[in-house]
Amino acid sequence: MLRWLFVLIVALLIYFPGLGQEFEFSNPVSVGPSINSGTEESSPLLSVDGKTLYFSRAFDPRNVGGEVTGMDIWVSKKDVYGRWGVATNAGPSWNNKGTNAVIGVRDNNTAVYLLNSYKNKSGIAFSKFTSNEWSDPEIISIPGLGLSNYVGYYVNPSFTVLLISMNRKDSHGEEDLYVCTKDSTGSWSRPQNLGPTINTKGFEISPFLSPDGQRIYFASNGHPGQGDADIYYSDRLYGSWQTWTSPRSIGDNINSPSFDAYFSIYGDSVAYFSSNRNGGLADIYTARAALNDNVFDKEKKYLTPDEVAALIGSNIDPNIKFNKNSFEMTAAQNELLFYIVNKIITQTSIKIQLNIRQGETQDFTAERMKAVADKLKSLGITASRIDQSTARALKTRSGDEDVVKMIFFR
């Protein structure tokens, strides 16, 4: 019975790959004074090349509409050292007296999607980058949408999916999440409610969609959480926009007792969101993300990324990457384990969970796990400190490396 349950879990994780991908986040930090100010910053969106951050700012006297009318789009660019430059107002082409926001960035960085009224028409607009400048916004026709019930939009980089937060007659409570999709002719569907698994009697706002279109991130005060609004994620099932896994909190590292929303994540490595956790108006925060392809055991106390960095060093990757069709460990891998063991050998409360992620093949799973475990034991880590009970052979995206992951817990 247990064997068949194990097979079922593996099958589900392979068929629904998003279900097995969990993130660990570092402690969030402010993006700094070049972006955050004494006014309110929200809705951060990163360009595809990672060099431009778009966000909205309210209560700034330099806004096009002044200090007390709406929000303007602001822009910050990274310098050659990877530091964010001083943010500047995007100007009157994109901004007016209403609430302005960038709600999507085209995958080739040649267009952005905007929210507000342009040329006396309300709705979603796009602006193209040509001749080294941005064009005036042009309104996009999407049936069933108006700004009167607007809370938030997100357009995916390929401009095929539009997520909306709004309140309508068919909403379950306050603001609900809806989706519009574009068909092969370029026509948009009418908004469709994402259903009661996602939407509650409270509000659901600030949606963001993963690049593969299978996971949604959003903020809500209707799901169990710890604050005014917390950030959650849920995975699509069976290719449906109405069938979802139960929403899960993004984690206590990101969520706080205050308002946390407008979450977005890029390249499985960095996330941005808005929060008023320090009191007063909201600022933009960032956190590093590490992808873990395995569901953790809830009874274990896993070390945070910061704790792991303090334990073995911030530049040490505690993963053993095997060559394809091999389970032999190299001299460099043996050296890595020797180094890690020397860091933890006397800290007997620290244990190691071994998990395996397979690339294009699923050969040598047992042999690779045994090779790593045997080496740890030979270096002095007792068998009671090595946990292989949650190991799974998961076939992930083509081209992924074959890796035995070392995860530390107490």
Side-chain angles (χ1 to χ4, degrees):
M1 179 64 181
L2 289 176
R3 178 178 178 273
W4 283 109
L5 180 60
F6 176 81
V7 171
L8 176 62
I9 291 172
V10 172
L12 285 171
L13 288 167
I14 292 171
Y15 189 76
F16 303 123
L19 297 181
Q21 296 181 347
E22 307 300 328
F23 290 100
E24 292 181 73
F25 290 95
S26 64
N27 290 327
V29 296
S30 166
V31 292
S34 61
I35 292 174
N36 290 325
S37 66
T39 62
E40 177 155 303
E41 287 80 28
S42 66
S43 309
L45 273 184
L46 192 66
S47 64
V48 177
D49 60 10
K51 296 179 180 179
T52 304
L53 187 68
Y54 303 99
F55 64 97
S56 293
R57 178 179 285 175
F59 310 120
D60 193 311
R62 294 168 293 177
N63 281 354
V64 170
E67 185 174 354
V68 294
T69 57
M71 304 180 76
D72 272 15
I73 298 165
W74 287 66
V75 182
S76 176
K77 294 182 179 293
K78 279 186 176 178
D79 62 20
V80 294
Y81 303 104
R83 299 172 300 198
W84 289 115
V86 175
T88 58
N89 188 289
S93 175
W94 287 3
N95 292 315
N96 51 42
K97 292 183 178 181
T99 294
N100 305 104
V102 171
I103 59 173
V105 182
R106 189 76 178 184
D107 47 18
N108 56 9
N109 279 328
T110 60
V112 297
Y113 302 96
L114 308 167
L115 171 70
N116 209 286
S117 300
Y118 302 98
K119 298 179 180 178
N120 298 317
K121 294 182 180 180
S122 298
I124 296 172
F126 69 91
S127 176
K128 291 183 177 180
F129 191 73
T130 56
S131 302
N132 207 34
E133 64 180 5
W134 291 100
S135 67
D136 289 336
E138 298 179 41
I139 291 291
I140 299 165
S141 177
I142 299 177
L145 288 186
L147 286 185
S148 60
N149 50 11
Y150 152 79
V151 171
Y153 291 143
Y154 173 73
V155 180
N156 69 335
S158 60
F159 194 45
T160 56
V161 178
L162 169 65
L163 295 173
I164 314 137
S165 170
M166 62 182 176
N167 184 278
R168 301 203 320 176
K169 292 180 180 179
D170 62 342
S171 294
H172 292 80
E174 299 176 49
E175 291 79 21
D176 274 13
L177 297 185
Y178 294 78
V179 65
C180 297
T181 56
K182 188 163 62 173
D183 63 22
S184 58
T185 68
S187 299
W188 286 93
S189 66
R190 299 185 72 85
Q192 188 177 23
N193 193 290
L194 295 191
T197 302
I198 297 289
N199 294 315
T200 68
K201 292 182 179 179
F203 63 72
E204 281 70 45
I205 60 172
S206 66
F208 180 82
L209 192 66
S210 63
D212 63 5
Q214 300 305 307
R215 174 170 289 181
I216 188 174
Y217 299 89
F218 62 96
S220 173
N221 69 349
H223 294 281
Q226 57 170 315
D228 177 17
D230 279 0
I231 298 164
Y232 301 86
Y233 65 91
S234 182
D235 294 305
R236 290 175 65 199
L237 299 176
Y238 312 112
S240 169
W241 289 103
Q242 279 71 53
T243 309
W244 299 85
T245 61
S246 295
R248 298 182 64 182
S249 168
I250 201 70
D252 292 347
N253 263 21
I254 300 294
N255 287 323
S256 73
S258 300
F259 181 89
D260 306 294
Y262 301 101
F263 178 91
S264 57
I265 187 168
Y266 306 90
D268 294 348
S269 61
V270 63
Y272 293 89
F273 67 101
S274 182
S275 175
N276 63 354
R277 63 189 56 206
N278 284 333
L281 300 173
D283 282 338
I284 294 172
Y285 293 81
T286 185
R288 304 300 299 183
L291 180 63
N292 171 21
D293 290 310
N294 305 281
V295 178
F296 285 169
D297 183 340
K298 293 182 179 179
E299 295 182 358
K300 295 175 182 174
K301 184 178 180 182
Y302 292 94
L303 273 62
T304 66
D306 288 344
E307 290 173 327
V308 172
L311 181 68
I312 65 174
S314 58
N315 297 321
I316 302 301
D317 180 5
N319 299 316
I320 308 300
K321 302 177 178 67
F322 285 87
N323 293 325
K324 187 177 179 180
N325 298 324
S326 172
F327 59 88
E328 298 292 335
M329 292 182 60
T330 65
Q333 290 167 343
N334 285 322
E335 221 173 283
L336 172 64
L337 288 186
F338 179 78
Y339 173 86
I340 291 174
V341 167
N342 277 342
K343 292 288 186 180
I344 69 171
I345 189 70
T346 60
Q347 300 191 49
T348 55
S349 65
I350 302 295
K351 299 180 181 180
I352 302 171
Q353 175 178 303
L354 297 180
N355 296 85
I356 192 162
R357 183 178 76 212
Q358 296 290 90
E360 296 179 352
T361 71
Q362 292 194 24
D363 299 328
F364 308 121
T365 298
E367 291 89 345
R368 286 168 174 157
M369 295 290 291
K370 185 175 185 300
V372 175
D374 286 350
K375 186 62 180 179
L376 290 171
K377 293 173 187 175
S378 73
L379 293 171
I381 301 297
T382 60
S384 62
R385 293 177 65 185
I386 303 172
D387 183 4
Q388 297 173 245
S389 62
T390 57
R392 298 186 181 94
L394 299 180
K395 186 175 181 180
T396 55
R397 298 176 294 270
S398 176
D400 276 2
E401 295 176 286
D402 300 289
V403 178
V404 173
K405 302 170 68 67
M406 299 174 62
I407 304 169
F408 302 94
F409 69 99
R410 289 188 175 89

